[in-house]
Amino acid sequence: MIYLLKNIECYCPEYVGAKDVLIAGDRIYKMTEPNSHLMEGPAVNSIAGHGLLAFPGMVDGHVHIIGGGGEDGFTSRLPEINRNDVLSAGVTTVVGLLGADNRTKNLNALLAKARALASQGITTFIYTGSYTLPMITMTGDVTDDMVLIDKVIGAGEVAISDHRSSHPDLKDLLELATKTYLGGLISGKAGVVHLHVGDGKSGLRLLTQLLAESDLPIQQFLPTHMNRNQRLFQQAIDYTRAGGNVDLTSGEIDGIPVPDAVQAFIKNDVNLQRVTISSDAGGSSPTGKIGSIKSLYLDVIDSIVQKKLSPELIFPLVTRNAAQRIGLYPRKGTLSEGSDADILITDKNYQIVKVFSMGKLVVDKGEILEEANNAT
Ligand code: ZN
């Protein structure tokens, strides 16, 4: 299918003004000045873009795609996420992972679900492992999982500073990070160690200790839930100053909501290129709160509308930066010639109007299109 988005204001995620955008197959083929008439023809579906804004489809780096285990007995086990919820939230790439429950939920099911979502038009990857060490893996070894299974881009979410963790020590974490790093080198993937940081007293201490005592690059690590309380948030500021990347969780209400957190980062001169936001969708918390994938975009809108942050400033946190963290940029996280045609289109009030995922129109007039409608 070939689509021409005509005269649409583009955030790539940097603002480049109005453009004509030609989508051919699953890629953005051309971006030109508007009304260039170079690309029209009977085979092209033209879409009037005047009054609309185009952003890269969002990359959500932390999604419990098979649902978390729940933390209140078997009846609290959470269901799998579905295609429509992901795409209608403006998310076109997800990284799936296990949470605290690696007993009734497992990596085989996670990989199968990632493949199912991929066949439904969403770009998917997974982390091997889960909360506890020693790591559970599919092949018996973290490095092998990364090298042999295309969808595995790193290890996580490994819990530190949390009562639900296995309380790993420095040696445990270093061994895991080294194996993941090696897997990344061999397979040409990001090799990220994605750390769940809990409410425990020690915060980021174990990670900073590891970085001080090893030669692993700081960018290999991505600690998340950094806005869950004030103490940890302060550590996040210090950690970015040391060159580290941090991830915030959207929909946070007990700690520091994302719009407030981003505003505080700006006040503290934090380099926002080091910051990403993910939803923790399908995950549960000890308070019984369940993460929703919709919260990602809601926090983006609140940052723009309530905190008056420019779209150029907030969107990279859910597009370019998020893609960079997992080694997918510029294939993902940008509107550029040659990039995948994952495009989020909104009206001037940032309400989602259309979504393209891998060149297929999956949301139109704000409504999800069922799979059968875009099978070609
Ligand atoms: Zn977590």
Side-chain angles (χ1 to χ4, degrees):
M1 200 71 107
I2 301 175
Y3 291 96
L4 176 60
L5 308 176
K6 294 174 70 172
N7 198 14
I8 190 163
E9 279 189 69
C10 291
Y11 288 83
C12 298
E14 59 286 351
Y15 182 67
V16 295
K19 297 283 176 197
D20 283 357
V21 181
L22 187 71
I23 301 169
D26 55 11
R27 299 287 175 92
I28 295 174
Y29 182 65
K30 277 264 175 233
M31 289 179 72
T32 66
E33 293 308 308
N35 308 314
S36 54
H37 299 294
L38 283 175
M39 305 175 286
E40 291 181 62
V44 177
N45 297 290
S46 285
I47 294 173
H50 184 70
L52 299 177
L53 311 174
F55 302 92
M58 292 191 292
V59 177
D60 191 341
H62 187 122
V63 183
H64 296 278
I65 57 177
I66 58 170
E71 298 184 25
D72 192 22
F74 297 122
T75 55
S76 66
R77 293 171 77 255
L78 295 168
E80 294 189 354
I81 203 161
N82 73 59
R83 165 201 180 264
N84 292 2
D85 290 345
V86 175
L87 294 171
S88 59
V91 173
T92 49
T93 301
V94 297
V95 184
L97 72 184
L98 294 180
D101 179 2
N102 61 18
R103 306 296 147 145
T104 79
K105 305 274 179 171
N106 65 56
L107 287 172
N108 291 352
L110 185 71
L111 179 62
K113 179 66 180 180
R115 287 181 174 152
L117 290 173
S119 75
Q120 294 174 311
I122 300 166
T123 303
T124 57
F125 294 90
I126 62 170
Y127 285 112
T128 187
S130 70
Y131 259 42
T132 52
L133 298 179
M135 284 265 290
I136 55 151
T137 64
M138 284 172 276
T139 63
D141 180 80
V142 179
T143 312
D144 279 342
D145 275 14
M146 289 202 57
V147 173
L148 301 176
I149 304 169
D150 289 349
K151 287 209 177 289
V152 177
I153 51 142
E157 61 177 317
V158 176
I160 58 171
S161 197
D162 194 299
H163 64 95
R164 296 161 293 181
S165 76
S166 54
H167 300 90
D169 63 17
L170 186 58
K171 188 172 159 295
D172 297 331
L173 196 60
L174 186 55
E175 186 185 346
L176 161 72
T178 306
K179 285 187 165 193
T180 310
Y181 183 65
L182 179 62
L185 293 181
I186 296 173
S187 62
K189 298 178 195 164
V192 187
V193 175
H194 189 43
L195 293 168
H196 157 111
V197 190
D199 277 320
K201 292 189 282 292
S202 58
L204 283 180
R205 195 192 308 145
L206 187 64
L207 177 57
T208 49
Q209 211 181 342
L210 181 150
L211 290 164
E213 294 181 23
S214 78
D215 297 311
L216 291 170
I218 193 168
Q219 283 79 20
Q220 194 200 342
F221 298 89
L222 183 59
T224 189
H225 311 317
M226 296 304 289
N227 53 329
R228 72 184 312 149
N229 63 50
Q230 194 60 48
R231 186 170 34 82
L232 195 59
F233 186 66
Q234 187 55 48
Q235 290 189 7
I237 293 173
D238 297 338
Y239 187 71
T240 59
R241 287 189 180 137
N245 299 318
V246 295
D247 189 51
L248 305 173
T249 303
S250 62
E252 176 64 61
I253 42 173
D254 301 327
I256 304 155
V258 161
D260 294 313
V262 176
Q263 202 173 39
F265 275 152
I266 294 168
K267 261 190 204 140
N268 283 279
D269 283 328
V270 166
N271 179 354
L272 288 184
Q273 286 186 357
R274 304 215 177 285
V275 183
T276 50
I277 311 166
S278 61
S279 71
D280 200 6
S284 64
S285 76
T287 56
K289 197 189 79 175
I290 298 166
S292 151
I293 199 157
K294 281 198 171 59
S295 67
L296 192 65
Y297 191 57
L298 292 176
D299 275 353
V300 169
I301 298 183
D302 282 352
S303 300
I304 297 169
V305 175
Q306 290 176 12
K307 303 293 179 187
K308 309 288 179 225
L309 302 182
S310 80
E312 267 191 295
L313 205 136
I314 189 74
F315 259 95
L317 280 61
V318 289
T319 57
R320 185 188 60 214
N321 301 1
Q324 282 172 336
R325 280 322 98 84
I326 51 175
L328 289 183
Y329 184 83
R331 186 183 139 203
K332 302 289 184 186
T334 178
L335 301 180
S336 304
E337 290 180 2
S339 294
D340 286 347
D342 297 337
I343 308 175
L344 167 60
I345 297 174
T346 77
D347 63 18
K348 295 271 186 194
N349 297 317
Y350 305 103
Q351 296 305 305
I352 296 176
V353 178
K354 294 179 194 294
V355 176
F356 285 90
S357 189
M358 294 300 285
K360 287 183 178 161
L361 184 64
V362 291
V363 172
D364 195 19
K365 301 187 182 90
E367 300 288 331
I368 188 81
L369 299 177
E370 294 299 329
E371 256 184 294
N373 293 347
N374 47 43
T376 50

